[in-house]
Amino acid sequence: MERLQAAIEKARRERDAGDPARQTPAAASVAAAPPPPRDDAAWDALARISFDRRVLRRNRVVTFDGGPEAGPYDMLRTKLLQRAKEHGWRRIAITSPDSHSGKTTTAANLAFSLARRRDMRTLVLDLDLRRRALGRMLGQRVVHTMADVLEGRVRFEEHGCRYEENLAFGLNGAAVRNPAEVLQSRRTAEVLDEIDAALSPDIVLVDLPPMMATDDSFGFLRNVDCALILAGAEKTGLDLIDVAERQVAELTNVMGIVLNKSRYTDGAYGYEQGYY
């Protein structure tokens, strides 16, 4: 882990040294302003959903009830919130250099970890429009897609769903045929602002496609404040991580890089189950 981080830092310094004019993107604070006063009616209009714990556990969603297994995600949640508060970030994309790095699993686990913070509201949007992975992982079926919402065919209040009082989802009922065009459109940015204004979430998590798979994320990342990059341990090469970080940094802020699926923690960050 330390060797990986050191290598990433070295590559970042060399890249920045070769380009002194490199600056934080102008679009880095899309939603940095505090959320407007909440309208509970907008949340109340969302359909209420429930979850089958067996489905969640089968799909490696371990944060629903908290406890020792949720510890690593809870720590990631807290670090995420600290960074977000420090920089005034609210819209946070979750992406990865390549597929199978666990970004959707991380998004789902962060959602329930954040939901256990009863004093804040979280909105999770599945904008990996080429599949319905998040809905399948959560055991939920919806009629429409987020593309229907972003293109104005369905209002989010009619499509979105919520769990209890402080966690809302925008899921996909099917794959979308033209996701890049949807995500790159001006209308998408406008609809996101409308959803933000109506629901006033404290944090918006956006599950995006892998950077190397399509151009979907490239056309969308300017609509978020920052991005968290998930890399698969023993799978995602350092060169891919470096390229993905550079591409994200050209469009928005890099919140951090998470090494996922690691079998070796060396006792780092307090992942000591005996403590519980």
Side-chain angles (χ1 to χ4, degrees):
M1 178 67 174
E2 292 179 357
R3 288 195 298 271
L4 173 64
Q5 188 62 40
I8 292 171
E9 291 293 341
K10 179 180 178 181
R12 185 184 298 143
R13 287 194 301 269
E14 291 175 349
R15 185 170 68 243
D16 292 348
D19 184 10
R22 186 171 177 266
Q23 299 177 346
T24 300
S29 297
V30 174
R38 287 173 174 165
D39 179 5
D40 289 338
W43 280 82
D44 293 342
L46 300 177
R48 299 198 65 152
I49 57 174
S50 60
F51 297 97
D52 185 331
R53 284 176 169 81
R54 294 169 300 177
V55 172
L56 295 180
R57 182 158 293 277
R58 185 167 64 244
N59 291 325
R60 302 186 299 282
V61 180
V62 299
T63 57
F64 187 76
D65 294 311
E69 289 182 294
Y73 288 109
D74 290 348
M75 188 164 289
L76 178 60
R77 169 201 65 189
T78 300
K79 289 180 176 292
L80 178 149
L81 290 176
Q82 289 172 345
R83 289 274 287 169
K85 182 178 181 180
E86 178 184 356
H87 295 282
W89 297 335
R90 292 197 300 116
R91 289 187 195 168
I92 303 169
I94 299 178
T95 186
S96 59
D98 51 3
S99 59
H100 306 297
S101 292
K103 66 177 184 62
T104 299
T105 303
T106 298
N109 277 291
L110 277 175
F112 292 115
S113 183
L114 287 163
R116 287 188 276 108
R117 282 284 307 268
R118 300 294 183 180
D119 59 337
M120 58 182 296
R121 283 179 173 173
T122 301
L123 172 63
V124 183
L125 301 177
D126 185 1
L127 296 189
D128 192 346
L129 300 178
R130 296 176 187 267
R131 55 187 193 147
R132 53 174 295 267
L134 185 57
R136 185 183 300 111
M137 182 171 291
L138 299 176
Q140 302 294 319
R141 284 197 167 274
V142 295
V143 175
H144 301 288
T145 68
M146 281 302 299
D148 293 322
V149 175
L150 297 176
E151 294 189 315
R153 291 186 291 274
V154 178
R155 295 190 306 121
F156 186 79
E157 290 83 352
E158 300 169 335
H159 171 71
C161 50
R162 65 181 172 92
Y163 172 67
E164 295 189 350
E165 304 304 322
N166 67 333
L167 177 61
F169 292 94
L171 305 173
N172 294 306
V176 176
R177 296 187 61 181
N178 58 335
E181 291 76 12
V182 172
L183 293 176
Q184 294 173 22
S185 73
R186 182 179 303 174
R187 177 60 178 156
T188 285
E190 295 171 350
V191 171
L192 286 174
D193 288 341
E194 293 169 2
I195 295 172
D196 210 340
L199 298 180
S200 304
D202 296 285
I203 292 291
V204 181
L205 295 182
V206 183
D207 186 16
L208 287 179
M211 296 296 295
M212 306 302 175
T214 70
D215 64 332
D216 299 3
S217 296
F218 292 93
F220 181 82
L221 278 170
R222 290 191 182 276
N223 294 305
V224 299
D225 295 324
C226 62
L228 193 65
I229 302 173
L230 270 289
E234 303 178 46
K235 178 183 180 298
T236 307
L238 180 60
D239 54 340
L240 289 182
I241 297 174
D242 182 55
V243 170
E245 187 201 20
R246 185 181 339 122
Q247 292 173 335
V248 170
E250 290 173 353
L251 299 167
T252 189
N253 294 295
V254 177
M255 173 174 270
I257 299 172
V258 176
L259 183 64
N260 199 26
K261 302 182 179 181
S262 176
R263 294 181 294 168
Y264 310 102
T265 63
D266 298 326
Y269 306 113
Y271 299 161
E272 299 181 39
Q273 300 304 322
Y275 175 81
Y276 295 94

